[in-house]
Each structure stands twice: as structure tokens, then as C-alpha cells.
Amino acid sequence: MAEIKLDIKEIRKNLFLLDEGGASTGYLIAGENMACLIDTMNGFTDLKKVCKSLTDKPLMVINTHCHPDHIHGNHCFDKVYIHPADKDEALVFAGIPEYLELLKEHNAVFPPYDFVEDGQVIDLGGRTLKIFLLPGHTNGGILLLCPEERVLFTGDSINHHLWMQLPNSTSIKTFSENLEKLLFLEKEADIILHGHSHDYDDISLISSVYKGALEILDGKTEKDSPYKWFGGEGFYHPFNCPEGKHFQQEDHGICYVKENVK
């Protein structure tokens, strides 16, 4: 694969943010007995080599959801875990012609999937990761809570630029109902590390996204603007985050299409 510079930032001891050229972000967290790589990004980097340079612990690899910029580095590993609700869509993205050509060119294969489930706890040794299913951005999107570090990894399910307009996204209503059940996580963690990060965000991003979704449901969309993406046109709904908290950026919004609100 074409190499792109991977920026590595140690957020906490043995907790690394891996920024693949600004396109997407993965995380490596190591405990006393094993380590976990959360998302494999676009596959532009020899991630196995990178992980071995950062930890000597046995490695588990988890995809937070099915999209190409979070799974295309899977070819670096023998097995990867995902929530079963996202497996079929992930395999579709693993089979796009351009990616298959790259795999062939570099004599690589897309590995088989195993599964993680809602409520599952992964023991790394002194650090744990608890899985929470959050259907929204995708049907099988997951959050991973490390309570010992009070860190919540959210993939693309919670971020500053939430895509809810995609064919396999749930409705805004379904997403808001699912997210409401997880608002307690604001008391369990202090920071969020999402799938397109360069730094951390305050945990209050969760409730900010939730309030933004409710505004769309309530028809408070007078400030929404047209939004174009590779699949068509929709709308961009800006939402606010609390002042005085640490956020990576000043603009926050949810992208949606009107037919997928309720």
C-alpha cells in the first residue's frame, strides 16, 4: 500500500492516537497482559509494524464500524473483531475493486471477522474496555469505555461532524433514542477520542450531539444549510457545545436527509 505518514501521539501512558495523514484516526491502548488496536484506518501504513514498535503485548484488533476509512488496514492482521450488525456492510467495502487491486498488488488479504457484543468487557490487564452498541451512524457502531482511564472511544458514532445521511444510517429518531440510553457515560468518562481526532474532546460532546438530534426532531432547523457529499445532497444542522470545555474545533454539526429524520 502507498505509505502515508502516521502521526503518533501518546495521550496517556501506553495509550496512543494514530493519525493517518489527517484522513482517519485509530488508537492503540495497552494493558499489562495485552493490547487493543481500535480501528485500522485506510491501510496506508504497516500497522502491525507500528503496533510492535509501541508495545510487545499480544494484540487484539477491533473495528468500531464498517466504513472503509476504519477497516481498510485490516489486511495487516490475521483476525479482526466487529459488531455483527456491521459485518455484511464491512465485507461490501472490503470488496470494492480499487481495494481488491491494492490487496492483489501487495499480496495481502482481508482477514476473517470475529465478533464483539454489546456489554462485552475486554480485559487488557489493569485496563478494561467495555463495549456499548450505538446504532446511528451505522447499525453496528460501537463505543468502547476504558473506565480506568475515564476515556471513551467513539469511532464515528459521536463526533463533531456526524454523518447520519448514509443509506445504512438509522433515522435521527432511532439514533436519539439509542443515544439517550447511553448519556450516563458522561459520568463514566472525562474525554472522548473519536475516529477523526487530532486530540481529545470533552465528554460533554455526547449530550451536545444528543441535543442537536432532538433539535432536528423538533423542527428547529432554521439555521440548517444545504450539504453535499459524494452520495447526494442533504442538510447540515449546527449544534452547540458548552463553553469553557476542551474541544478540537469550534464548528459542530449533524448531516442528514429529511426522509431519514423519523
Side-chain angles (χ1 to χ4, degrees), residues 43-60:
F44 298 140
T45 308
D46 186 343
L47 285 175
K48 181 177 285 188
K49 181 179 179 181
V50 170
C51 290
K52 284 185 176 180
S53 73
L54 297 173
T55 179
D56 60 356
K57 306 300 182 185
L59 185 66
M60 179 179 188

Side-chain angles (χ1 to χ4, degrees), residues 64-222:
T64 60
H65 64 295
C66 61
H67 289 150
D69 54 337
H70 298 268
I71 70 169
H72 272 179
N74 287 7
H75 66 269
C76 296
F77 306 97
D78 297 326
K79 180 192 289 186
V80 179
Y81 292 78
I82 197 169
H83 189 276
D86 262 16
K87 176 192 173 184
D88 289 346
E89 192 76 11
L91 293 179
V92 170
F93 287 123
I96 60 177
E98 297 85 355
Y99 186 57
L100 291 177
E101 281 299 314
L102 287 172
L103 292 179
K104 182 178 179 181
E105 178 183 346
H106 294 275
N107 194 30
V109 297
F110 195 82
Y113 271 121
D114 208 334
F115 301 114
V116 291
E117 299 286 352
D118 184 37
Q120 181 176 345
V121 177
I122 299 163
D123 188 355
L124 304 178
R127 284 172 164 171
T128 56
L129 294 171
K130 185 171 183 179
I131 308 294
F132 294 92
L133 176 64
L134 178 54
H137 177 63
T138 67
N139 282 286
I142 60 171
L143 315 181
L144 299 96
L145 172 69
C146 179
E148 295 82 8
E149 296 296 329
R150 294 186 59 82
V151 172
L152 185 67
F153 303 92
T154 64
D156 286 358
S157 293
I158 299 290
N159 63 46
H160 292 279
H161 194 74
L162 178 60
W163 276 24
M164 289 294 300
Q165 81 280 17
L166 301 174
N168 68 331
S169 299
T170 71
S171 68
I172 298 291
K173 184 175 187 295
T174 297
F175 170 65
S176 67
E177 291 171 347
N178 293 329
L179 183 54
E180 183 179 19
K181 299 172 186 175
L182 297 179
L183 291 178
F184 72 90
L185 290 172
E186 284 205 0
K187 298 179 180 178
E188 304 295 323
D190 299 321
I191 65 171
I192 281 175
L193 295 171
H194 66 71
H196 295 275
S197 292
H198 308 291
D199 198 359
Y200 71 89
D201 287 292
D202 185 76
I203 192 63
S204 60
L205 183 59
I206 293 182
S207 57
S208 300
V209 169
Y210 176 66
K211 291 173 184 176
L214 293 185
E215 289 169 355
I216 296 173
L217 287 172
D218 292 341
K220 298 176 181 178
T221 56
E222 61 277 359

